[in-house]
Amino acid sequence: MIAELEHWLSKDSKLPAETRTILQILKITEEAGEVAEAVIGATGQNPRKGFSHTWEDVEKELCDVIITSMVALTRVSQDPEGTFARQLTRVAERALGPS
């Protein structure tokens, strides 16, 4: 499904592939900022806006970060699913020990 999203995002773009990749990587930061905004809104920490978001909003924004990151990974890796699985295994083994 991620590959299909990447194709949809790229199909009408006039930008060079390298530029699309760089912009997709930058998009991760934009999405992370939306997570921060949702957390601030869910906790009511902006005195001007108060409780403007819910924890469900935070969940959705976190998913947007993951999706955006996976699209970026698809653009830089020949095997994005394998790359992600190997990295997840490395992180889990470092934190939890070998399985």
Side-chain angles (χ1 to χ4, degrees), residues 20-84:
R20 288 194 312 266
T21 298
I22 291 166
L23 292 173
Q24 186 68 34
I25 292 167
L26 292 175
K27 180 83 173 150
I28 297 166
T29 303
E30 178 186 358
E31 295 295 343
E34 291 176 13
V35 172
E37 179 181 13
V39 169
I40 289 167
T43 57
Q45 295 306 303
N46 183 333
R48 188 172 49 80
K49 293 182 181 179
F51 289 90
S52 58
H53 291 75
T54 66
W55 285 102
E56 185 176 316
D57 294 325
V58 175
E59 292 172 0
K60 290 176 184 176
E61 296 298 345
L62 285 168
C63 289
D64 286 351
V65 171
I66 294 166
I67 293 164
T68 301
S69 297
M70 288 304 295
V71 169
L73 184 58
T74 298
R75 289 183 175 178
V76 300
S77 175
Q78 295 294 318
D79 178 22
E81 292 88 357
T83 299
F84 179 76

